[in-house]
Amino acid sequence: MWGRPSRLDRIEQTVERLAEISEATNLRIDRFVDASEQQIQILHQRTEQLQRAVEYLMSKDG
């Protein structure tokens, strides 16, 4: 019986593995959120630029 891990050992290993998976998943989620925020900011800036361009062109039409 010494060669086989006890049930408690297997549970502990499983919990440790789940913690590793959770940490890795959280890191990926954080990266995704950061990238999404950057993309939203870029889209916001481009929308503002487009709005100013449209306003300028409309003001030229009189």
Side-chain angles (χ1 to χ4, degrees):
M1 187 149 180
W2 291 103
R4 288 182 36 198
S6 70
R7 183 172 182 190
L8 185 57
D9 289 339
R10 290 192 309 270
I11 291 171
E12 183 179 345
Q13 290 171 353
T14 301
V15 169
E16 289 173 359
R17 181 67 183 130
L18 289 173
E20 291 171 0
I21 292 169
S22 177
E23 186 176 334
T25 301
N26 287 341
L27 189 57
R28 283 193 290 273
I29 290 170
D30 288 345
R31 288 181 187 149
F32 175 80
V33 169
D34 289 343
S36 296
E37 288 174 348
Q38 290 173 356
Q39 290 298 318
I40 289 169
Q41 183 62 31
I42 290 168
L43 287 173
H44 181 70
Q45 291 169 350
R46 290 181 180 169
T47 300
E48 288 177 341
Q49 290 172 346
L50 181 59
Q51 184 176 1
R52 286 193 300 273
V54 168
E55 290 171 355
Y56 171 75
L57 291 173
M58 289 181 71
S59 71
K60 287 183 70 175
D61 280 344

